[in-house]
Amino acid sequence: MIVVQRDGRLAAQVTTDAAGPGAVPLGGIDTGLGGAATAPVTGWALAGVVLVLIGAGAVARTRARR
């Protein structure tokens, strides 16, 4: 239902959506990985973890010498 103006007055007009889908979709909407999905570990992620571990080891070794 929409409100239109006719001859200076407001009137209600009932309309149907002709562009609507012919069938009701089943299941959820495919939105990609989203924020809650787990992504496979790639080579870049693994390399980043290795670099962080090497950096943490270097910091620990430097503090142990003091």
Side-chain angles (χ1 to χ4, degrees):
M1 180 176 282
I2 60 172
V3 178
V4 294
Q5 184 176 1
R6 291 187 185 149
D7 300 327
R9 298 180 313 165
L10 296 178
Q13 180 178 347
V14 177
T15 59
T16 57
D17 184 11
V24 177
L26 300 174
I29 298 172
D30 185 18
T31 59
L33 291 177
T38 58
V41 176
T42 62
W44 288 107
L46 185 58
V49 168
V50 169
L51 287 174
V52 167
L53 290 175
I54 290 171
V59 168
R61 186 178 290 182
T62 302
R63 289 184 185 216
R65 288 183 188 175
R66 290 184 184 180

